[in-house]
Amino acid sequence: MTRTKIRTYSKISALADIKIEPFDVNKRYTKPHRHNKYMELVYFSAGSGMHYMDETGYAIEPPVIFIIKKDEVHHWEIDTVPEGFVIIIKEGFMEKTLDKHINLQLRQLGHKKIIKPNFDPTIQSLFEIASKEIKEICASRDILVEGVLKALFSKILTYVEIDENLSTTNLEERFEELLQTKLKNDVAYYAQKLNTTSQNLNALCKKKHDKTASSVIADHIIKETKRLLLYTDLSVTEIAYAFDFTDVSHFVKYFKRHDGQTPLHFKKAAIVP
């Protein structure tokens, strides 16, 4: 069967904004997939094997925490019985949360792929408490869960070098959301969608990323192209058209300019799971 899309899984009810539970030991081997608009935080206290995020493999060496963002393609190859917890967080949770400091914590965590805390019994205990509290049926459940999550995230962040300049602006958030919805090599297109100017968008990207807006867009296009080359059967021509490139040779040159190799060279050199 021809693969024209990357598999998308949803491990949470459409009615829920957050899910906290022990890691499912039946999910030791999974096919490459991305998530249906949610962020996933996975903590291992035991287990071994590999975790692949996009084209990079990470050894599972507990204690370890993986953060999988909603646009990333990932899969597990776990060769011993794992122990740990999974937290799934939708955008709706961040919109409804009563304690907005949790949103800042999640943005700080979202800039990491892997965190290696020490053997810390507090982290284990907070995961256990959170997984129990979320199952409670009472009026104060959401407040209790948020309190535990805030403590848990604070503890995890003690093992992370924090970027103090992560006070994300609303414009930056909306630009990021657009990039995850539609990829197009056109700064003016995004500026128009965001009701701003190309100059303002460039100034924002220079301040936040030390890059032009076109370079930020290119980073996303190259990353998504690699995912499509690895995990679908789409041709370079089809991928170019998906990103609104009308000239395939222009797209190939664009990819090479930003990645140092052509799309086909990348695909031939890559080990496809």
Side-chain angles (χ1 to χ4, degrees), residues 77-223:
E77 291 182 4
I78 305 173
D79 50 34
T80 61
V81 178
E83 293 179 15
F85 290 88
V86 177
I87 299 178
I88 292 173
I89 299 171
K90 288 184 181 177
E91 291 173 355
F93 172 82
M94 297 179 72
E95 292 170 0
K96 297 175 186 175
T97 181
L98 301 173
D99 190 338
K100 295 304 177 184
H101 184 69
I102 292 176
N103 291 358
L104 175 59
Q105 291 177 316
L106 286 169
R107 284 201 297 272
Q108 291 169 334
L109 290 170
H111 283 259
K112 303 295 177 182
K113 287 180 179 289
I114 180 170
I115 300 170
K116 295 184 176 182
N118 298 330
F119 280 99
D120 192 329
T122 303
I123 290 179
Q124 177 74 22
S125 297
L126 288 169
F127 269 109
E128 291 173 357
I129 294 167
S131 67
K132 291 177 182 176
E133 290 292 353
I134 203 162
K135 293 180 177 66
E136 295 295 323
I137 302 174
C138 62
S140 60
R141 189 205 74 159
D142 290 349
I143 296 172
L144 292 171
V145 169
E146 288 185 16
V148 177
L149 285 179
K150 186 176 179 180
L152 173 61
F153 296 156
S154 293
K155 189 65 176 176
I156 293 171
L157 285 167
T158 63
Y159 297 98
V160 174
E161 186 176 341
I162 300 298
D163 183 350
E164 300 296 340
N165 299 315
L166 281 178
S167 53
T168 309
T169 65
N170 183 252
L171 180 61
E172 185 186 5
E173 286 181 349
R174 289 189 291 129
F175 183 36
E176 187 67 28
E177 287 171 5
L178 271 178
L179 288 170
Q180 293 174 9
T181 305
K182 172 68 176 176
L183 283 174
K184 186 181 178 77
N185 182 32
D186 186 349
V187 175
Y189 165 82
Y190 293 101
Q192 181 181 23
K193 289 286 186 181
L194 295 166
N195 294 317
T196 188
T197 64
S198 298
Q199 290 82 359
N200 282 344
L201 199 52
N202 268 312
L204 171 72
C205 292
K206 277 286 188 182
K207 181 180 178 181
K208 285 292 181 180
H209 307 289
D210 197 26
K211 294 180 179 181
T212 63
S214 61
S215 292
V216 172
I217 293 167
D219 287 346
H220 282 74
I221 289 176
I222 299 303
K223 186 174 286 186

Side-chain angles (χ1 to χ4, degrees), residues 28 55 179-180 230 238:
R28 287 169 57 179
E55 67 268 24
L179 288 170
Q180 293 174 9
L230 287 175
E238 289 170 322

